[in-house]
Amino acid sequence: MTPVLESVLALLIVVTIVVIVVITVFVVKFLNEATLTMINLKDITDITKKEIGPALKSVNNILSTVNNVSTVTNNQLELVKKILTTLLGASCIAFGKVKGKSGFLSGLVSGFNLFKKKEIKNVNR
């Protein structure tokens, strides 16, 4: 081998070793930072889980209360609706009968008046 070739190969080996060492240092730093980040994320999720648990229970209780109030309100509205329907139905039937009676009474009176006029004509003859 020529001395130039030997020096180039030696330089290539040194540069390769330096690059491998630099890459190894960066990979080790990256793994260290990634480990710290994962530990911090685990701590954050643990804290969040501890804090959200009671908050979710409180929200669940509030939603349950709202659901109960809504159900009771719906039941009361249905009851009022039934009462109003019953009252309106009864009043319509009652007014219909009264109207029918007044029509019947007026028809009876007009019929009576008609016969009364005929009787008066027969008596006058």
Side-chain angles (χ1 to χ4, degrees):
M1 277 208 211
T2 62
V4 174
L5 187 62
E6 287 178 7
S7 64
V8 169
L9 284 176
L11 181 66
L12 179 66
I13 291 172
V14 169
V15 169
T16 306
I17 290 172
V18 168
V19 168
I20 290 174
V21 167
V22 168
I23 289 175
T24 305
V25 167
F26 281 119
V27 167
V28 168
K29 284 186 175 185
F30 172 75
L31 290 176
N32 189 20
E33 289 296 321
T35 303
L36 290 174
T37 303
M38 292 300 147
I39 289 171
N40 288 336
L41 281 175
K42 184 181 178 295
D43 291 343
I44 289 171
T45 53
D46 289 342
I47 290 170
T48 305
K49 187 190 292 183
K50 288 177 185 176
E51 294 297 324
I52 284 184
L56 286 177
K57 286 180 184 178
S58 176
V59 168
N60 193 14
N61 289 338
I62 290 169
L63 289 176
S64 176
T65 304
V66 168
N67 189 21
N68 290 340
V69 168
S70 174
T71 303
V72 169
T73 304
N74 284 339
N75 290 341
Q76 289 176 351
L77 285 176
E78 287 297 321
L79 180 64
V80 168
K81 184 178 175 183
K82 286 180 183 178
I83 290 170
L84 287 176
T85 304
T86 304
L87 289 176
L88 287 176
S91 65
C92 286
I93 290 171
F95 287 132
K97 286 184 178 180
V98 168
K99 186 177 181 182
K101 285 183 181 177
S102 68
F104 176 74
L105 289 176
S106 66
L108 187 63
V109 169
S110 67
F112 181 71
N113 288 336
L114 181 66
F115 285 118
K116 188 176 178 184
K117 288 180 183 178
K118 282 185 181 180
E119 287 179 13
I120 294 174
K121 287 181 184 178
N122 287 335
V123 173
N124 289 336
R125 283 188 183 174

